[in-house]
Amino acid sequence: MRKSALLSTAILTLVATPAFAHLNPAEHGSFAAGFSHPLFGPDHILAMVAVGLWAALLGGRALWLVPAAFVATMMAGFMLALAGAPLPFVEPVILASVVAIGLLAAIALKVPTPAAMAMVGFFALFHGHAHGGEMGSAGAAAYGLGFALATALLHVAGIGIGLGLPRLFGSDMGRIVARLAGGATALAGLWLAVAG
């Protein structure tokens, strides 16, 4: 019973996409608008869950430092956008992040934790810039806090999948299933690039 509940949760986390658009800050507040922003785009959801999945496959200190690096660098990208600093190729790099981070999880690439932090940080800069560029009339502090929290929760979902699948299927088989989830993420990123 417990295994089927974990599997159902993992599957729903991977396929669930909220059925709402970005919230209007005037109606819902800047925090709610920021919190909803990463949950609106499948590219953001897939990339952020994949960060947590890869971190879980890396294990050790990477489990928390890799997602933390993503959030911190994403906020730097947000600040760049607020300052009006241009960043080229934001949307293509965001799409590439889904494929790249999915592939990193699929092959369970073992790199030192600082290297993994730098790798996800590169993509996080673009995600943060996109959030800042689409802020609209929201208040920057509350909006930024909202999307940072949503991002962290998506990372936690990926970590939960990465740690839960080995418990569900056994250590070796669970890692294989987790790596397959990374591969599925990369394929979904390719589909988004072609379909978009």
Side-chain angles (χ1 to χ4, degrees):
M1 178 66 176
R2 185 171 179 217
K3 286 184 178 183
S4 63
L6 281 171
L7 181 61
S8 297
T9 301
I11 290 170
L12 289 174
T13 301
L14 288 173
V15 300
T17 302
F20 53 82
H22 297 301
L23 297 179
N24 180 349
E27 295 174 16
H28 300 283
S30 296
F31 177 83
F35 188 84
S36 72
H37 192 267
L39 304 175
F40 178 71
D43 51 353
H44 290 287
I45 293 170
L46 289 167
M48 293 173 196
V49 171
V51 167
L53 180 62
W54 186 41
L57 289 166
L58 287 169
R61 294 178 3 172
L63 185 65
W64 300 110
L65 289 177
V66 169
F70 190 100
V71 173
T73 312
M74 180 183 67
M75 295 309 291
F78 176 63
M79 298 305 288
L80 283 175
L82 293 184
L87 192 60
F89 309 113
V90 171
E91 289 304 321
V93 172
I94 288 173
L95 280 173
S97 74
V98 179
V99 177
I101 300 169
L103 285 175
L104 291 170
I107 64 173
L109 182 67
K110 288 286 187 188
V111 296
T113 298
M117 293 167 68
M119 291 164 80
V120 300
F122 169 78
F123 292 115
L125 192 69
F126 291 84
H127 281 268
H129 199 279
H131 290 312
E134 298 171 3
M135 186 175 72
S137 63
Y143 181 84
L145 182 62
F147 77 74
L149 178 60
T151 297
L153 291 174
L154 288 168
H155 292 331
V156 169
I159 290 169
I161 293 166
L163 296 178
L165 289 173
R167 290 189 179 130
L168 182 64
F169 293 105
S171 182
D172 291 339
M173 180 56 73
R175 281 186 65 83
I176 291 170
V177 175
R179 291 175 65 181
L180 289 172
T185 300
L187 288 174
L190 287 173
W191 181 82
L192 287 171
V194 171

